[in-house]
Amino acid sequence: MKACRKCNYIFEEGDVCPVCGSDDITEKFGGRIYLLDPDNSEIAKLINAKVKGTYAVRVK
Ligand SMILES: [Zn+2]
């Protein structure tokens, strides 16, 4: 599992973030939240998530 440092999105395959295209990724992250409906989620607004999926709460 890898997390993007830019948008916090968590993904398993590849070396670039499938959401924002950044290659600034890390395997060290804390916490995980699943966003089903980012448009109507307060957490999504906090971490600036726009795409449905799993996000890291903190990235290192
Ligand atoms: Zn990203």
Side-chain angles (χ1 to χ4, degrees):
M1 298 289 264
K2 299 162 187 172
C4 174
R5 280 203 180 98
K6 237 178 162 180
C7 68
N8 288 30
Y9 189 78
I10 294 176
F11 55 100
E12 291 183 50
E13 307 268 317
D15 291 321
V16 292
C17 173
V19 170
C20 71
S22 168
D23 61 0
D24 190 5
I25 53 176
T26 178
E27 287 177 26
K28 291 177 182 160
F29 54 88
R32 230 186 271 178
I33 40 171
Y34 187 70
L35 292 176
L36 265 178
D37 190 3
D39 290 335
N40 293 300
S41 163
E42 290 299 318
I43 303 160
K45 281 173 200 155
L46 274 175
I47 62 171
N48 237 330
K50 293 179 175 63
V51 179
K52 168 174 108 169
T54 312
Y55 289 82
V57 178
R58 292 183 310 276
V59 287
K60 289 173 186 167

